Amino acid sequence: MAKQAVQLTKKNRTKFRFQKLKMCKKCNRYSVLKDHHCPTCGSTFVELDSLIKSIVRNKLFNEACLILILVCIGIVGAPTVKTLYYSLIAGLVFCLLYVVLTFFYFKSENFIQLKLLLRSDLSKIKSGIHYDTVLAEEEARDNMLSMAYEKYREIGDFILNDAIKLRQVKLLNDMILRSDMELEIEGLVPSGYDPDFVTYTLEAIKINRSLVTKKCIGYFVQFKEEVIRDFGMDSLITVAGTALRMKLYIMEFSEFIEEYLDYFPKERVLRLCSILHANPDINWGSLGDKTKSLVSVKYNYDPDFKRFVS
């Protein structure tokens, strides 16, 4: 099947994972998708933050009403005018202290109510996300790749498991990847070897090397034999070359880089030499020795390497 040209929207980013959750009050169904309206009944979803604040406000209102009722009972039941004044003053002071304490502990109360809600509605949340997955599966079957991928992407930000990651990868492999797309590799790294993930990663590297992170390089190191078997050594040479993007990656994966150093193109070797030369205080070990040897043999008369040749 020919790859499909698609247009992807930006990911819905939140500070905390739970902030992706929202609920349809009519259906009592949770969702993590970007939809503003419930696909079942059409009602507007309520963000979890707003839902928690509403619960806390109702709780505080009920408590405030209870305090006022107690104060009124104290005033009505006062046997003397003096006692009535005492009851009124005590009630006002208590209300004032309650307001002040509520102001200071409002965030804590929000957090407490959030935990209670997540615990009590855990089965509803699971059911809602399962329904989100069903919607994504239907769109994938109908070849609506971008819509299906975006749904899986939002679900994958909330549920971290290989099944969701690999569904995203398979959809991405059916798309024409472009530099203007909001691509990622870090969040799609599976726990086991998967050829589809390797295929996607090698394609994404061609578009943007900065997508390759420590976790991604570690994956190729861990499954080196499988990658060579299915994709050949050139794929590992490419990944090892991207590790030269950062000094920390070179230090972390020096053995991996050294293994494929002889196969690097000139510009990669030049970058490695530049980093090693700029950090003479770091003990680069055998990688440093092999790099010097390679330059002296292969690039001894190349003017671009003149400053690295002793």
Side-chain angles (χ1 to χ4, degrees):
M1 184 179 70
K3 290 195 174 187
Q4 191 178 121
V6 300
Q7 189 70 38
L8 300 178
T9 61
K10 287 191 175 182
K11 182 192 287 190
N12 180 26
R13 300 184 184 279
T14 57
K15 187 176 181 181
F16 302 104
R17 276 198 291 168
F18 74 83
Q19 291 174 323
K20 281 188 172 290
L21 278 171
K22 47 195 171 186
M23 188 181 78
C24 172
K25 284 190 172 182
K26 189 174 181 180
C27 299
N28 208 18
R29 185 180 74 81
Y30 284 90
S31 175
V32 293
L33 304 181
K34 291 193 294 183
D35 300 336
H36 297 294
H37 296 89
C38 176
T40 305
C41 68
S43 299
T44 303
F45 279 117
V46 179
E47 301 289 339
L48 194 64
D49 278 344
S50 300
L51 188 62
I52 293 299
K53 287 176 182 177
S54 175
I55 292 171
V56 172
R57 280 196 300 268
N58 290 337
K59 181 175 180 290
L60 295 178
F61 177 76
N62 292 334
E63 290 176 351
C65 288
L66 180 61
I67 292 169
L68 289 174
I69 290 170
L70 291 174
V71 171
C72 290
I73 291 172
I75 292 171
V76 172
T80 63
V81 175
K82 191 174 182 180
T83 307
L84 185 148
Y85 286 140
Y86 285 153
S87 298
L88 181 60
I89 292 169
L92 291 174
V93 170
F94 187 78
C95 285
L96 181 63
L97 288 172
Y98 175 78
V99 170
V100 171
L101 288 172
T102 299
F103 176 78
F104 278 111
Y105 294 104
F106 189 75
K107 285 187 177 180
S108 298
E109 184 63 31
N110 278 354
F111 182 67
I112 290 168
Q113 293 303 320
L114 172 64
K115 288 201 299 183
L116 291 173
L117 182 66
L118 292 178
R119 285 175 184 172
S120 62
D121 285 5
L122 183 60
S123 60
K124 292 180 184 177
I125 293 170
K126 288 180 178 178
S127 176
I129 295 174
H130 175 71
Y131 185 73
D132 289 344
T133 306
V134 170
L135 293 177
E137 288 173 352
E138 289 175 354
E139 289 176 346
R141 283 197 297 269
D142 293 338
N143 210 30
M144 302 165 68
L145 301 187
S146 61
M147 295 176 69
Y149 169 71
E150 287 173 7
K151 283 183 170 59
Y152 279 129
R153 185 176 61 182
E154 298 301 329
I155 297 167
D157 273 356
F158 191 79
I159 299 178
L160 306 177
N161 66 35
D162 283 356
I164 300 297
K165 290 177 183 178
L166 296 178
R167 286 174 188 172
Q168 291 180 70
V169 166
K170 286 180 179 179
L171 288 169
L172 285 165
N173 283 336
D174 289 333
M175 301 177 192
I176 298 173
L177 304 183
R178 303 186 310 273
S179 58
D180 63 328
M181 288 180 169
E182 193 178 12
L183 301 175
E184 64 171 326
I185 296 177
E186 171 86 11
L188 298 176
V189 178
S191 58
Y193 175 70
D194 183 77
D196 288 328
F197 172 74
V198 177
T199 300
Y200 163 69
T201 301
L202 295 175
E203 189 67 26
I205 290 174
K206 296 176 185 177
I207 297 169
N208 187 356
R209 286 178 177 271
S210 65
L211 294 173
V212 178
T213 60
K214 177 180 175 180
K215 186 176 181 181
C216 176
I217 300 168
Y219 179 89
F220 277 82
V221 173
Q222 181 182 359
F223 298 105
K224 185 169 57 177
E225 293 180 3
E226 290 87 345
V227 172
I228 291 176
R229 181 193 66 206
D230 295 339
F231 297 90
M233 194 169 66
D234 285 348
S235 56
L236 289 177
I237 295 170
T238 300
V239 175
T242 61
L244 306 181
R245 193 169 61 86
M246 293 179 64
K247 181 178 70 176
L248 291 176
Y249 292 171
I250 298 173
M251 295 171 64
E252 178 81 17
F253 301 104
S254 60
E255 291 184 8
F256 179 55
I257 294 168
E258 183 181 345
E259 188 174 352
Y260 300 99
L261 181 59
D262 291 329
Y263 306 99
F264 283 179
K266 175 185 170 180
E267 68 272 11
R268 294 285 88 197
V269 179
L270 191 59
R271 173 162 178 79
L272 178 59
C273 288
S274 298
I275 294 174
L276 268 56
H277 187 263
N279 297 275
D281 54 320
I282 297 176
N283 180 14
W284 297 104
S286 58
L287 176 62
D289 295 335
K290 186 169 181 178
T291 303
K292 289 177 184 178
S293 176
L294 177 66
V295 170
S296 64
V297 172
K298 195 172 181 180
Y299 301 102
N300 190 46
Y301 301 103
D302 191 320
D304 292 333
F305 288 86
K306 186 176 180 181
R307 62 194 176 106
F308 306 126
V309 180
S310 53

